[in-house]
Amino acid sequence: MVSQDSSLIKAITMNWEKLHQTSVVADLHCHSAIKSSIFNRNLSDNKGKFLSRLFKEKFWPFSNRASFPKLMKGGLDIMLSTAYIPEGGWYSDVSKAKWILNLFPSVKKSIYEQSYFNATHDAIMKMESQAGEWNKNEDNRQIYICREAKDIKKAIKKGHMALIHSVEGAHSLQNNSAKSYPHDISESYQKKETDALDNLQKLYDSGVAYLTLAHFYPNDCVYPVFPWPEYASSHGDWATMLGKWDETKGLTPIGEKVVEKMLELGMLIDICHCTPLARQQIFDIVDHHKAQECLLASHVGAFSVNRNMYNFTDREIKWMSDHGCVMGIIFMNYWLSPTDTGLGLRYIEETIDHMRSVGSSDCVAIGTDFDGFTDPPDEIVDMSQLPRITKYLKSLRYPDDVIQKFLGENALRLLQNGWK
């Protein structure tokens, strides 16, 4: 309980900047790599394009919310740089995706016409190249690429920002391409399984800390929940799209083996986008192995706050907390808020509060999903404004230790203990 002494209250109000500056700040899910790999955006450039500035408070696919200067201004210490290659279904279901392909021929060649796995690997390498270019300026706070958990504290101790690779969607384990969607059903089951496990090992060996199993479309491992927010309905055949998803399905047999392999390797398993059945199947596998601190939901909300199947129920929140796992709260109103509003800070806080009350203060973290084709709260439109969440939580009289856990300590603990 915070003291009612007026001088203490004044000190709390005065010191939110210092709290943010001295805390470890982590983002479990950030998509700078999308803007690097798909749109060839220079992440060292802090000058947003005209339309990016115009649409800064709204959904805009060409946004630049997580450039390196913005990461540094926001005080980020740990960035889970999430590589994502759009699945082939984007091109058949979303008219503007086809338009982008024609506008950017290089995208078609580098993303659409090669295998998912090779495109993912290239995206990771391109992100490292961009970090290398940033580091050439010795006046810049340096970016330290971490390939194992022990590298993270080295980076923080030196005052660097730790960049850790992650991958969204187990389609990235497949050797078919988006161009071949839906992929060749004549391909043998054994080959698919071998490809998935071999490519998983390659990602792990290259320093990928976690894999998000599901994303927008079914892959060889798992089925997803319906992914499209309502504002996307004008960009595709909405009625047809709704009928394509079967949320009664879960893990495939290949998916079960991939989960087992990830537990064996010590690679964190991200269960965002998975159907409720798939999430339960993964819980059962983890319980069978009596494992702890091995799962995360990198960018998610609470079902009790906003009744969307993407979000976690109280039972799931409790399971995650009891097993030392962590949930990164997404900075996107559509998933957090049950009402149509541009203002989202209160729903971030409400989700934090709910997860704490059902689970504990040890299970909540940040997973912004910035630059992942999202519409963030108007109060925090990019990474440079991240300190505003610290200020807001301080104004609500959250204890400093709870704020610090949310900002980064919980994420750091999971990475150190779960990423072997």
Side-chain angles (χ1 to χ4, degrees):
M1 186 70 178
V2 178
S3 169
Q4 297 300 308
D5 182 84
S6 59
S7 62
L8 179 57
I9 293 174
K10 182 178 179 180
I12 289 173
T13 304
M14 292 287 287
N15 290 331
W16 68 266
E17 298 101 327
K18 184 176 180 181
L19 176 63
H20 191 86
Q21 292 165 1
T22 57
S23 297
V24 173
V25 181
D27 187 352
L28 286 172
H29 200 84
C30 185
H31 275 300
S32 301
I34 284 183
K35 301 309 161 71
S36 169
S37 62
I38 297 181
F39 299 124
N40 202 29
R41 187 69 60 83
N42 179 6
L43 298 179
S44 296
D45 184 5
N46 201 29
K47 298 176 181 178
K49 303 295 183 183
F50 170 74
L51 288 176
S52 292
R53 295 196 299 270
L54 184 65
F55 288 96
K56 67 179 181 178
E57 295 179 355
K58 301 297 180 185
F59 167 73
W60 177 244
F62 307 113
S63 64
N64 194 13
R65 304 185 190 280
S67 64
F68 292 155
K70 290 174 181 175
L71 298 175
M72 302 307 171
K73 186 176 180 180
L76 199 68
D77 298 299
I78 302 171
M79 173 194 184
L80 274 294
S81 172
T82 307
Y84 166 64
I85 304 303
E87 301 100 316
W90 279 78
Y91 310 114
S92 60
D93 290 341
V94 184
S95 57
K96 286 195 175 179
K98 299 175 185 176
W99 174 76
I100 290 173
L101 273 181
N102 294 327
L103 190 63
F104 297 96
S106 61
V107 175
K108 187 172 184 179
K109 183 176 181 180
S110 64
I111 301 294
Y112 185 61
E113 295 184 346
Q114 66 170 329
S115 74
Y116 285 125
F117 177 76
N118 287 340
T120 301
H121 179 268
D122 288 352
I124 290 172
M125 292 300 101
K126 195 165 187 178
M127 193 66 184
E128 292 195 6
S129 177
Q130 292 243 21
E133 288 298 313
W134 170 265
N135 287 342
K136 286 181 181 178
N137 186 340
E138 296 181 357
D139 293 333
N140 290 335
R141 182 186 176 204
Q142 299 291 283
I143 298 173
Y144 190 99
I145 297 171
C146 301
R147 304 198 187 278
E148 52 186 335
K150 67 181 181 181
D151 292 338
I152 304 172
K153 279 200 169 180
K154 291 180 185 177
I156 294 173
K157 186 176 182 180
K158 292 180 179 180
H160 302 332
M161 189 194 81
L163 187 153
I164 306 165
H165 294 302
S166 57
V167 171
E168 186 162 34
H171 63 286
S172 288
L173 304 179
Q174 298 171 194
N175 285 336
N176 60 292
S177 69
K179 185 178 180 180
S180 64
Y181 176 86
H183 55 279
D184 187 359
I185 60 174
S186 66
E187 187 178 63
S188 72
Y189 171 88
Q190 187 58 52
K191 185 177 186 307
K192 290 181 180 181
E193 180 185 307
T194 300
D195 287 347
L197 296 177
D198 287 351
N199 290 336
L200 178 70
Q201 182 74 53
K202 291 174 184 176
L203 290 179
Y204 174 78
D205 290 343
S206 65
V208 173
Y210 76 71
L211 170 68
T212 311
L213 291 171
H215 198 239
F216 274 37
Y217 290 85
N219 56 54
D220 285 344
C221 293
V222 71
Y223 285 82
V225 295
F226 184 74
W228 301 100
E230 289 180 17
Y231 61 70
S233 64
S234 62
H235 306 312
D237 184 349
W238 194 244
T240 300
M241 289 163 64
L242 278 168
K244 285 186 177 181
W245 276 259
D246 188 346
E247 292 162 323
T248 68
K249 296 182 178 180
L251 288 177
T252 68
I254 293 175
E256 292 175 2
K257 292 190 176 183
V258 165
V259 170
E260 295 274 0
K261 180 70 173 178
M262 292 177 75
L263 289 173
E264 176 189 330
L265 290 172
M267 188 176 184
L268 289 164
I269 305 165
D270 184 9
I271 57 177
C272 281
H273 292 284
C274 288
T275 62
L277 175 58
R279 299 195 297 249
Q280 183 58 54
Q281 288 173 306
I282 295 167
F283 292 160
D284 291 343
I285 293 172
V286 170
D287 282 335
H288 175 74
H289 289 277
K290 297 181 171 60
Q292 293 279 321
E293 297 179 308
C294 55
L295 303 185
L296 75 155
S298 63
H299 54 303
V300 77
F303 185 83
S304 291
V305 177
N306 183 18
R307 295 178 65 84
N308 187 295
M309 203 176 296
Y310 176 81
N311 291 332
F312 277 31
T313 65
D314 288 359
R315 182 189 62 79
E316 292 171 322
I317 293 169
K318 183 69 164 58
W319 189 99
M320 293 285 283
S321 180
D322 289 346
H323 289 74
C325 302
V326 171
M327 291 161 288
I329 296 175
I330 188 171
F331 284 22
M332 182 174 175
N333 288 352
Y334 181 78
W335 302 119
L336 296 181
S337 170
T339 62
D340 184 10
T341 176
L343 301 178
L345 262 179
R346 62 165 286 195
Y347 291 106
I348 292 175
E349 186 275 328
E350 188 173 339
T351 305
I352 295 171
D353 194 59
H354 184 79
M355 288 183 173
R356 286 181 64 215
S357 64
V358 174
S360 72
S361 296
D362 296 327
C363 71
V364 289
I366 292 172
T368 65
D369 205 13
F370 278 149
D371 278 336
F373 304 125
T374 53
D375 179 13
D378 289 353
E379 304 101 315
I380 303 181
V381 300
D382 62 41
M383 194 65 77
S384 70
Q385 298 174 351
L386 196 59
R388 294 181 183 181
I389 189 66
T390 304
K391 182 180 182 181
Y392 185 76
L393 294 176
K394 286 285 283 184
S395 72
L396 294 173
R397 312 281 298 286
Y398 273 74
D400 285 359
D401 63 332
V402 170
I403 297 174
Q404 289 175 317
K405 287 181 179 183
F406 169 68
L407 289 176
E409 286 184 0
N410 289 336
L412 178 59
R413 186 237 332 142
L414 182 72
L415 288 163
Q416 289 183 315
N417 297 339
W419 181 27
K420 306 298 183 185

